[in-house]
Amino acid sequence: MKKILAITLLFICLGKIMGQQQEILFSPEFQPNKKYEIVMNINENIIMTLDSIDKIERERILEQLGGKESMSFSLRTGTKNKIFTKEKFENKLPFEMNVQVLETEVKMGDSVILKKDSLSSSSSKIYGFLYDKIKVKVDSVVNNSLTDSLKKTVASMMENTYTNVAYPVEPMKIGNSFTQEVPMNIAIPGFDSIEMIVVTTYKLTDVIGNKVFFNLVQNLKMKSDNTSMTMFIKGEGKGKLEYDIQNKITSLVQSKIDIQGNYNIQEINFTMTGKLETSITNNITN
């Protein structure tokens, strides 16, 4: 019995060692003639607190805020993106994306200031092409409820999100890690551009069958300056990622980030603390 147990443990250790030596090329890539369904959910909870200012001015502002020095803000939303790819042409992969906003709720304190279910929320169609595996060029955004400037914002955000992402060119083993730095510049109508940078360190922790598992450490910084509002936010947190080797997709990404920062809105200063949770799943449906 002891010999059988010893042999069993030996093979378990041997399998683990072999798994650690297995090399994996982490290289997500959209494939021709496929249907992808990407679902993203976002849950944000923050508390904004009135910063120290002149006593007389503070009393005036507190009166406007109903006597409260702090207020809570929460956002729960998400999107369901269905991406249809076509035949590759001249190293470009044409796609059509149907974007549906899922159930959304925004609360300020105990008051619900916005609530929409997925059926009443607007949807968009985005046309363009993919190149260099996952980089995106948007040709057009179709949504009758969006202004032209908002359509440009959507296109810019999508192109920035994918175009600035880089993955390792060499295969990885368990224990290996790499760092990815994604800068973004978002133009929102009515504001000057918002500058943001997200730095993510990926560590490969396991390979089981067709799945590769990573732990994530994330840091973000975001700032904006304009005539009516200035903002600076920073955050750090952890998460995990699962990579589907066969289909070359990140099938799951989850992260939880603690954030803090400050706002100046019409010369009123607020400090901010909170949490941002994000979950993204990606499946091939054909």
Side-chain angles (χ1 to χ4, degrees):
M1 185 67 180
K2 291 182 179 179
K3 290 183 178 179
I4 294 173
L5 179 59
I7 292 171
T8 302
L9 291 172
L10 176 62
F11 276 104
I12 290 173
C13 292
L14 181 60
K16 191 67 176 176
I17 292 170
M18 291 177 68
Q20 290 174 343
Q21 297 304 312
Q22 184 178 0
E23 291 189 336
I24 301 297
L25 183 61
F26 179 39
S27 182
E29 179 178 1
F30 285 98
Q31 304 291 321
N33 301 314
K34 296 291 185 182
K35 296 179 181 178
Y36 298 87
E37 183 174 278
I38 303 175
V39 178
M40 179 174 68
N41 288 289
I42 297 173
N43 194 351
E44 181 182 28
N45 292 280
I46 64 175
I47 295 177
M48 296 179 64
T49 303
L50 184 63
D51 211 346
S52 57
I53 53 176
D54 177 82
K55 182 179 179 181
I56 297 175
E57 184 70 6
R58 185 183 190 86
E59 291 177 354
R60 183 185 68 81
I61 294 170
L62 282 174
E63 185 178 351
Q64 293 178 355
L65 297 175
K68 296 181 180 180
E69 292 195 2
S70 63
M71 54 185 173
S72 62
F73 171 87
S74 66
L75 166 67
R76 179 173 54 84
T77 187
T79 60
K80 179 185 288 186
N81 304 330
K82 294 184 178 181
I83 302 175
F84 306 91
T85 59
K86 301 177 182 180
E87 284 288 347
K88 185 175 285 188
F89 177 73
E90 295 182 347
N91 293 321
K92 297 177 181 179
L93 187 62
F95 75 88
E96 172 188 330
M97 177 187 289
N98 296 332
V99 182
Q100 179 186 4
V101 179
L102 300 178
E103 182 178 344
T104 298
E105 182 179 83
V106 180
K107 294 177 69 177
M108 188 71 76
D110 296 327
S111 302
V112 177
I113 59 177
L114 175 66
K115 187 167 186 177
K116 287 187 176 183
D117 60 35
S118 58
L119 296 178
S120 64
S121 298
S122 61
S123 60
S124 304
K125 284 191 176 183
I126 300 173
Y127 298 90
F129 61 85
L130 298 143
Y131 64 100
D132 290 347
K133 297 183 178 181
I134 64 165
K135 295 181 180 180
V136 175
K137 178 62 179 175
V138 175
D139 288 331
S140 62
V141 177
V142 180
N143 185 322
N144 293 332
S145 63
L146 296 181
T147 63
D148 288 342
S149 58
L150 279 174
K151 289 178 182 178
K152 289 180 180 179
T153 298
V154 171
S156 175
M157 289 178 64
M158 187 172 175
E159 290 178 353
N160 282 329
T161 299
Y162 287 94
T163 301
N164 292 322
V165 173
Y167 292 99
V169 295
E170 300 292 336
M172 301 179 67
K173 297 178 182 179
I174 291 176
N176 289 165
S177 61
F178 73 96
T179 299
Q180 184 185 84
E181 189 173 297
V182 181
M184 297 180 66
N185 197 300
I186 306 168
I188 298 179
F191 294 88
D192 291 340
S193 62
I194 295 176
E195 297 177 12
M196 181 168 66
I197 184 166
V198 181
V199 179
T200 306
T201 299
Y202 299 75
K203 183 175 181 179
L204 200 162
T205 59
D206 210 349
V207 180
I208 302 177
N210 185 52
K211 289 289 182 72
V212 183
F213 299 86
F214 291 86
N215 283 342
L216 311 180
V217 176
Q218 290 187 308
N219 290 272
L220 70 84
K221 290 183 179 179
M222 182 165 58
K223 67 176 182 177
S224 176
D225 293 295
N226 65 61
T227 54
S228 62
M229 184 189 80
T230 61
M231 171 184 68
F232 177 78
I233 296 173
K234 64 179 181 179
E236 59 181 28
K238 297 180 179 181
K240 65 180 182 179
L241 179 148
E242 296 178 9
Y243 176 62
D244 184 320
I245 300 171
Q246 181 179 351
N247 292 310
K248 295 185 177 181
I249 59 173
T250 53
S251 53
L252 174 68
V253 183
Q254 292 179 335
S255 68
K256 295 181 180 180
I257 298 178
D258 294 319
I259 54 178
Q260 58 182 338
N262 57 73
Y263 287 85
N264 183 297
I265 305 172
Q266 296 179 346
E267 299 184 356
I268 303 173
N269 293 312
F270 292 90
T271 56
M272 183 200 74
T273 58
K275 293 184 180 294
L276 174 64
E277 298 182 13
T278 305
S279 174
I280 304 171
T281 60
N282 186 2
N283 296 288
I284 294 178
T285 59
N286 71 328

